[in-house]
Amino acid sequence: MSEVLTYITEHAVQWGAVILLMLGLYIVMTRGNLIKKVIGLNIFQTAVFLLYISIGYVLDGAAPIVLEGAERYSNPLPHVLILTAIVVSVATTSLALALIVRIQEAYGSIEEDEILEHGET
Amino acid sequence: MMPLPDPGWLAAIAIGIPLVGVVGILMTRRWPDVREGISLAAGSVLFCTVITIAMAMDAGETVHLELARPLTGITIALTVDSLGLLFALVASFLWIVTTVYAIGYMRGHHEKNQTRFFTFFAVAIACAMGIAFSGNMLTLFVFYEALTISTFPLVTHAGTPEARKAGRTYLGILLGTSIGFQMIAIIGTYALTGTLDFREGGILEGNVSHGVAGVLLLLYVYGVGKAALMPFHRWLPAAMVAPTPVSALLHAVAVVKAGVFTVLKVATFIFGFELLQELSVTQVLQWIAAFTIIAASLVAMTKDNLKARLAYSTVSQLSYIILAALLANEAGFLGGGLHIATHAAGKITLFFCAGAILVAAHKTEISDLDGLGRVMPFTFAAFLIGSLSIIGLPPFGGLWSKWLILDGALAADRLFLVGVLLVSTLLNIAYLLPIPFRAFFRPLPEGAPAERHEAPVSCLAAIGVTCLCCLLLFLFPDPAINLLERTFIGAGAP
Amino acid sequence: MSIVEHLPALQVAVPLLAAPLCAMMIRPSIAWPFAVLASWITFAISVALMDQVLTHGTIVYNMGGWSPPWGISYVIDPLNALLLLLVSGMAAIIMPGVRLGIGVEVTFRAQRLFFTVALLSLTGMLGIVITGDAFNLYVFLEISSLSSYALVAMGADRRASKAAFNYLIQGTIGATFILIGIGLVYMMTGTLNMADMADRLTDLHGSATIQAAFAFILVGAGIKFAMFPAHAWMPNAYTYAPSLVSAFFGATATKVGAYILIRFIYNVFGAEFAFDEMHVGWVLIPLGLAGAFVGSLVAIWQDDLKRMLAYSSVAQIGYVAAAIGLGNHDGLIAAIVHVFNHGLMKGALFLVMACVILRLGKADMTSFRGLGKRMPVTMGCFVVAGLSMIGVPFTVGFISKWYLILGALDAGMWPVAVLIVMSSLLSIIYIWRVVEVAYFSDPPDDVKVQEAPAMLLVPTLILTVLCIAFGVATKITVGVAGLAATSLGVYP
């Protein structure tokens, strides 16, 4: 039993990422409201950011800026990568929201079932 | 005498001539007389070219030309061998005759879109030449597919819903079998042997197990949908919605003969006689071919529509050639090859007559033909000649090819098949001869005009020529047989 | 340093810089020639790159002079040279027709933005193909995806926005999966350079993390690639996007997905890992064949022909997936060649739809009635490209199918060969249905229809002619694909 516990606690960050990932995906798949779908997508992407940042962590590492007395530093590369990914995610979100505005204008609703009902004509 | 060009190019020229004709036909579409003149001229030049090739072959030259190399290791190449030469001679000669006939028919029947008709007709002949002169299986396949597609507009010429439906059947079966079976067989052959060339004695021998070879044989024989082996024969009766010249030249000569020609080629040069004789699938296919011969004859008897009856008769006769190819011996090959020529002459005569009856008397059903023999004596006399040739009675050419096939069946020790061929001959009599007899001996229906009224002269001229061919093939079969025999003494083989 | 050495950077930089410049040009009449020029220059560069690759072998170009692992390097081998040629060539052929083609579908004000986004999308695709850095690949993937969503949303139909939204959701999930996969590989190897990854991964066989990474990338690329059963975004997106966008995407977008699959399976992870450890063939071949059947069957029942072509793409992608899954020399050639050839055919077919939509406003079965007489050249192109789709000899479709079946037989998979052929027979039905209506139905009398204008017709004709040209002369396609397969370590 304790082995399982240590396994979980040792990989706490990864577990967190996986749970967020699943939550996000679940929201995207099950919610009919388009805004909620976008929120789900954001959670989904956030999970990946967490995963990446955890990769950069080095035991007892200081922040990667030159410091007096610091012997090792965390790996800065994943942080940089994930900054890019965050920008991408922001762009995706804004585009999605813009599309939602257009959908609202065209159909008068942002609920998926109502859009379907409104006639795919 | 003018120096001959490199004989290899002659084969390419033979394919090119009808295509040049197409350009001419399209350019002169506003002047029907000139347009048909060009059709005739192209036909004559083509026939002369094929004769020139025959002379070059006679002089011992090999006619070979490499056109392209689209895939590594395989070429698009033309090679003329004696079987292909015979096929090309038959097709190119009958093209001229059919053009003469078509001029009278199309005008007499007031068909629309005549330019389209002559155009695709010429394209189809070019494809038939390509098949005849193919140097390997891929080249043959390419032209085979092109022939299917170029004849589609001819089959659906009328543009009626019925024609459309027939066109669907036509294209569905022919493309379906060729892509579905034949292509797999070809690629399989290539994967197993690394070549697709036609070689005497076959290329598969020694490269494959008997099981795989059997599967390949099945795929090939059924992949050649144009050979109309049951149960893939439906397209041929369906194609009868086309104008009669199309039925005559393409669906009694060029297209269907391209099919059985392919089967003969595959049997002889891909499999080789020895391998074929060892395969048990060969026997199964012989049975199927025998079944097709009998069954198609029986179906033909039930058809009242004249063209439909002739179509089923063609299905039956095609299986003679498939059977001959599967006998896998020399006599079978000779008989099959000769049957391409003799059946062509006989069947085209019958179709010409059917067309003439349609144009002159507007009759399509056999039961309406009573007494017409007095109105159209020439046409029905010709029909009788054609029938006798198909049945295989002297003095007409059909006798020799049947004789040779029987000879082959005896040589292969397949007495059962001899029986089938004899029964089939009786069936031929039963479904063909009543037609002229009915026309000559039954009285005309009340009130029908009894004065002579034949089809246009050009139709009659064409019919006369093909009747003469039936007779000549009886009197002088030797040139054709000698030509085919060269396959086995090495002179004409690729 | 001469400019020739910087061609790899220019390949991506030219369309990237042209895009914002286009946005600044208010009048579409200025933005359009500019975009055309940019796409032609891009194409010229890719031709030059292909020439260099063929004469000197693989090119490695370090961005800004920083060599990996610090900098990003662009690596051009025969595989991506061919893909660059396809993507930029399609852009160069289609872009001149865009002005007229989108005239009826995109408002005047939005047109310059259309060119901007189109160039960005081109940039993204070229970037994905050219880069040798895994994370850079992700960034370019998102550039191309985001601009694709925008392009789809520009369709005239209101359903275009909904289609774009669904595309965005699924596309983002796919891209994020790829990102996770890359992250996991980075975690294990400590590098983002694909060549280094490939080196270090050889020692890591059996690692669960790497296996998970492989699975993530496979699924992510599968979504981008619209591989059955992850194809749901594609039919709507292609149906409601402006027709020229459908033409460009149909010819290129999914092809880039195929490229990612090939690159990661054969190059980064290595065929040995993918096939012996992960048994990827057992995923790709059944799914590919299922896609081929489902796509073709659904295509048969479509009334909207753009949707029909989209489903036909699902089927064709199935062939590519199956070909990748065969894992032998001929199979890989088939995959690469079919990616290229299908681009040509589908581009031509979608351009035909653009011509028809320009003249008739829509492309459903009724609008095709009698078109054979009224738009003879357009319909001629449809017939030729359609025959190519069926796989008639002397067309590109035949070449693809030849290698596909040869590959299946070589792998000893007779049933696969048979299924491929059976499914391809279905394409006869959906192509011929249209041909029949166009040539055998009488046109409705009340509408006057002219042949499409030259600006659209010429690109259509070019692609149609290429469908035949590359079916006869296969030196570029098959030759380069053979080199590519060899350079990926798959020998005959």
Side-chain angles (χ1 to χ4, degrees):
Chain A
M1 193 64 205
S2 66
E3 275 175 28
V4 176
L5 269 180
T6 33
Y7 181 73
I8 292 174
T9 48
E10 272 183 356
H11 296 85
V13 183
Q14 279 82 353
W15 280 110
V18 168
I19 290 167
L20 279 181
L21 200 71
M22 291 300 119
L23 268 179
L25 210 51
Y26 179 78
I27 295 171
V28 173
M29 289 194 294
T30 54
R31 296 298 117 174
N33 186 304
L34 300 187
I35 297 274
K36 287 183 182 166
K37 269 186 195 291
V38 175
I39 293 174
L41 204 62
N42 270 310
I43 297 176
F44 177 70
Q45 289 177 310
T46 310
V48 183
F49 306 158
L50 196 62
L51 184 76
Y52 261 77
I53 292 167
S54 75
I55 299 174
Y57 176 71
V58 174
L59 203 63
D60 297 329
I65 12 175
V66 182
L67 280 178
E68 291 277 330
E71 285 188 359
R72 38 177 121 174
Y73 298 102
S74 288
N75 182 359
L77 186 65
H79 301 180
V80 179
L81 298 181
I82 229 55
L83 267 180
T84 318
I86 289 171
V87 173
V88 168
S89 153
V90 170
T92 312
T93 310
S94 58
L95 182 62
L97 292 175
L99 285 175
I100 292 174
V101 171
R102 280 191 52 171
I103 292 172
Q104 159 76 23
E105 280 169 2
Y107 291 90
S109 167
I110 57 165
E111 293 291 335
E112 199 151 51
D113 46 351
E114 283 176 27
I115 294 171
L116 284 175
E117 234 170 71
H118 257 250
E120 287 277 308
T121 46
Chain B
M1 196 173 146
M2 230 173 53
L4 289 172
D6 175 25
W9 281 101
L10 282 172
I13 291 170
I15 299 171
I17 289 168
L19 297 178
V20 174
V22 166
V23 178
I25 290 168
L26 285 175
M27 275 174 17
T28 56
R29 61 183 177 277
R30 290 182 206 289
W31 307 283
D33 293 333
V34 185
R35 179 188 66 198
E36 267 113 282
I38 287 180
S39 266
L40 273 178
S44 316
V45 176
L46 174 62
F47 185 60
C48 293
T49 313
V50 179
I51 295 276
T52 318
I53 295 176
M55 279 157 52
M57 296 259 300
D58 223 27
E61 301 209 47
T62 45
V63 184
H64 177 81
L65 179 71
E66 192 179 309
L67 289 178
R69 206 176 259 276
L71 303 161
T72 33
I74 312 175
T75 53
I76 297 290
L78 302 176
T79 309
V80 184
D81 67 350
S82 39
L83 183 62
L85 188 60
L86 181 70
F87 178 45
L89 278 170
V90 171
S92 59
F93 175 68
L94 290 179
W95 186 31
I96 307 177
V97 182
T98 311
T99 309
V100 173
Y101 179 84
I103 294 169
Y105 177 87
M106 297 301 273
R107 294 185 183 185
H109 204 230
H110 307 294
E111 290 271 0
K112 284 185 275 184
N113 295 325
Q114 294 194 16
T115 304
R116 186 174 82 194
F117 172 83
F118 284 108
T119 306
F120 282 104
F121 214 102
V123 176
I125 293 297
C127 298
M129 290 298 131
I131 292 177
F133 295 152
S134 302
N136 57 38
M137 200 58 213
L138 182 73
T139 317
L140 200 155
F141 181 66
V142 167
F143 284 111
Y144 180 97
E145 294 292 52
L147 182 59
T148 307
I149 293 163
S150 62
T151 45
F152 177 79
L154 295 171
V155 172
T156 54
H157 187 83
T160 55
E162 194 195 1
R164 222 203 288 185
K165 194 161 159 276
R168 221 178 271 170
T169 315
Y170 185 79
L171 205 68
I173 293 184
L174 289 187
L175 272 188
T177 51
S178 65
I179 294 180
F181 304 140
Q182 197 185 345
M183 194 164 86
I184 296 191
I186 292 173
I187 299 178
T189 309
Y190 179 67
L192 290 166
T193 65
T195 179
L196 285 175
D197 290 343
F198 295 124
R199 277 193 213 137
E200 208 187 335
I203 55 175
L204 285 172
E205 180 75 60
N207 283 319
V208 293
S209 70
H210 280 184
V212 174
V215 174
L216 280 178
L217 184 63
L218 270 179
L219 285 173
Y220 270 120
V221 173
Y222 275 118
V224 183
K226 289 190 170 76
L229 190 64
M230 279 182 177
F232 292 106
H233 66 287
R234 282 282 312 136
W235 64 272
L236 186 54
M240 291 300 138
V241 294
T244 307
V246 175
S247 308
L249 182 59
L250 298 180
H251 300 120
V253 183
V255 172
V256 290
K257 294 295 151 50
V260 287
F261 171 77
T262 311
V263 173
L264 269 173
K265 274 273 210 192
V266 166
T268 317
F269 301 120
I270 299 277
F271 283 84
F273 291 157
E274 283 180 28
L275 181 62
L276 267 191
Q277 281 166 357
E278 289 165 16
L279 293 180
S280 48
V281 175
T282 311
Q283 291 195 21
V284 176
L285 282 170
Q286 284 173 351
W287 280 82
I288 297 175
F291 173 79
T292 306
I293 291 174
I294 303 290
S297 301
L298 290 172
V299 175
M301 292 174 81
T302 67
K303 296 287 172 189
D304 191 36
N305 183 296
L306 183 53
K307 277 175 81 178
R309 185 175 288 193
L310 293 181
Y312 273 101
S313 158
T314 306
V315 172
S316 156
Q317 298 287 322
L318 289 177
S319 278
Y320 273 63
I321 305 177
I322 299 178
L323 188 62
L326 293 172
L327 288 173
N329 55 32
E330 206 170 307
F333 178 81
L334 294 180
L338 191 61
H339 205 61
I340 288 182
T342 54
H343 175 248
K347 197 44 77 60
I348 203 169
T349 309
L350 296 183
F351 271 111
F352 279 170
C353 292
I357 296 166
L358 177 63
V359 171
H362 309 292
K363 298 273 196 284
T364 57
E365 306 302 307
I366 292 164
S367 48
D368 293 340
L369 298 183
D370 288 1
L372 264 187
R374 258 150 284 171
V375 182
M376 311 175 68
F378 181 82
T379 306
F380 279 97
F383 196 98
L384 184 64
I385 292 175
S387 306
L388 293 177
S389 181
I390 297 281
I391 294 164
L393 292 174
F396 301 106
L399 174 70
W400 298 125
S401 52
K402 261 195 189 178
W403 185 285
L404 281 167
I405 295 174
L406 275 174
D407 199 20
L410 285 170
D413 218 10
R414 311 280 294 152
L415 284 180
F416 166 76
L417 296 176
V418 176
V420 167
L421 292 175
L422 292 177
V423 172
S424 148
T425 304
L426 292 177
L427 287 171
N428 286 344
I429 296 175
Y431 68 75
L432 281 176
L433 284 189
I435 301 168
F437 285 170
R438 185 184 265 265
F440 280 121
F441 299 124
R442 292 249 187 128
L444 266 171
E446 292 288 316
E451 67 268 26
R452 296 265 308 255
H453 177 66
E454 292 271 6
V457 182
S458 76
C459 292
L460 298 186
I463 295 175
V465 172
T466 54
C467 284
L468 200 61
C469 286
C470 291
L471 190 63
L472 287 177
L473 278 171
F474 172 74
L475 297 175
F476 310 106
D478 290 346
I481 296 178
N482 290 342
L483 183 64
L484 289 171
E485 266 176 346
R486 258 193 258 161
T487 308
F488 300 104
I489 50 173
Chain C
M1 282 185 117
S2 70
I3 192 159
V4 177
E5 290 172 40
H6 290 293
L7 282 179
L10 288 173
Q11 176 80 89
V12 179
V14 169
L16 183 64
L17 292 178
L21 288 177
C22 258
M24 286 179 221
M25 299 172 182
I26 308 292
R27 299 189 64 80
S29 53
I30 305 173
W32 169 63
F34 185 74
V36 171
L37 186 68
S39 65
W40 285 359
I41 294 175
T42 315
F43 178 57
I45 295 174
S46 68
V47 172
L49 281 176
M50 175 61 110
D51 182 54
Q52 281 189 28
V53 170
L54 288 183
T55 44
H56 304 301
T58 305
I59 306 170
V60 178
Y61 176 86
N62 295 327
M63 268 296 189
W66 293 88
S67 58
W70 299 282
I72 290 167
S73 69
Y74 282 4
V75 181
I76 305 163
D77 62 5
L79 174 61
N80 41 16
L82 190 68
L83 263 287
L84 289 175
L85 206 61
L86 172 72
V87 173
S88 62
M90 281 297 155
I93 291 173
I94 294 174
M95 200 63 96
V98 166
R99 183 77 203 287
L100 272 173
I102 61 168
V104 285
E105 291 168 293
V106 179
T107 57
F108 185 78
R109 276 183 51 214
Q111 282 188 17
R112 71 195 158 95
L113 295 176
F114 181 92
F115 292 116
T116 310
V117 186
L119 284 173
L120 275 178
S121 171
L122 174 63
T123 311
M125 290 185 207
L126 293 172
I128 295 173
V129 173
I130 204 170
T131 187
D133 181 279
F135 193 81
N136 198 225
L137 184 143
Y138 165 76
V139 174
F140 277 121
L141 182 65
E142 284 292 14
I143 292 178
S144 86
S145 305
L146 285 169
S147 40
S148 311
Y149 310 145
L151 281 176
V152 170
M154 284 185 177
D157 196 293
R158 67 170 178 172
R159 280 170 292 181
S161 335
K162 188 70 197 355
F165 184 81
N166 285 346
Y167 183 13
L168 181 144
I169 297 281
Q170 297 182 30
T172 306
I173 292 175
T176 311
F177 271 23
I178 293 179
L179 181 63
I180 297 173
I182 293 171
L184 293 176
V185 177
Y186 173 70
M187 191 195 258
M188 298 302 288
T189 61
T191 178
L192 287 169
N193 184 281
M194 294 203 269
D196 292 345
M197 272 186 182
D199 269 352
R200 298 183 195 175
L201 277 172
T202 44
D203 304 331
L204 288 167
H205 288 182
S207 149
T209 314
I210 296 301
Q211 291 175 350
F214 182 78
F216 271 116
I217 290 177
L218 186 67
V219 175
I223 294 176
K224 282 285 164 194
F225 180 36
M227 198 178 109
F228 178 84
H231 64 283
W233 58 269
M234 193 174 71
N236 275 335
Y238 283 14
T239 311
Y240 301 120
S243 320
L244 283 154
V245 172
S246 311
F248 183 55
F249 284 0
T252 56
T254 50
K255 309 301 176 291
V256 171
Y259 165 79
I260 299 177
L261 267 185
I262 296 176
R263 179 63 78 197
F264 274 91
I265 289 181
Y266 285 96
N267 209 175
V268 176
F269 287 96
E272 200 188 321
F273 170 81
F275 286 95
D276 298 341
E277 197 172 325
M278 300 300 286
H279 304 291
V280 73
W282 286 102
V283 179
L284 290 176
I285 294 176
L287 286 183
L289 289 176
F293 273 98
V294 172
S296 301
L297 282 173
V298 177
I300 291 172
W301 303 106
Q302 297 308 314
D303 186 53
D304 186 322
L305 294 186
K306 273 170 84 179
R307 187 179 286 274
M308 177 192 95
L309 292 181
Y311 276 109
S312 137
S313 282
V314 173
Q316 303 293 325
I317 285 163
Y319 295 135
V320 177
I324 297 174
L326 287 173
N328 54 21
H329 189 70
D330 285 332
L332 193 53
I333 288 185
I336 298 168
V337 166
H338 197 49
V339 159
F340 190 88
N341 289 347
H342 178 238
L344 295 178
M345 314 182 234
K346 233 352 119 48
L349 288 173
F350 269 119
L351 278 179
V352 168
M353 297 303 138
C355 292
V356 174
I357 287 179
L358 182 71
R359 286 298 184 223
L360 288 149
K362 57 185 187 329
D364 55 6
M365 287 302 269
T366 44
S367 58
F368 266 76
R369 292 173 70 93
L371 272 193
K373 279 223 172 65
R374 306 162 113 200
M375 300 175 76
V377 183
T378 312
M379 278 315 296
C381 291
F382 184 90
V383 173
V384 173
L387 288 177
S388 184
M389 209 72 177
I390 296 171
V392 172
F394 274 144
T395 59
V396 286
F398 177 72
I399 305 291
S400 315
K401 219 151 272 174
W402 175 275
Y403 278 100
L404 188 53
I405 295 174
L406 210 55
L409 294 182
D410 204 33
M413 300 188 188
W414 277 87
V416 173
V418 173
L419 288 174
I420 288 166
V421 169
M422 275 170 58
S423 65
S424 73
L425 289 179
L426 295 172
S427 60
I428 300 179
I429 303 178
Y430 63 75
I431 295 290
W432 216 259
R433 214 169 55 107
V434 183
V435 173
E436 242 179 37
V437 168
Y439 286 95
F440 295 111
S441 302
D442 293 326
D445 292 326
D446 49 329
V447 208
K448 288 266 175 289
V449 181
Q450 287 177 313
E451 184 56 84
M455 289 300 263
L456 266 182
L457 208 53
V458 171
T460 318
L461 272 174
I462 293 176
L463 284 181
T464 312
V465 170
L466 288 181
C467 277
I468 295 180
F470 282 123
V472 182
T474 57
K475 207 168 169 196
I476 295 182
T477 49
V478 176
V480 175
L483 282 179
T486 319
S487 77
L488 290 175
V490 182
Y491 301 100

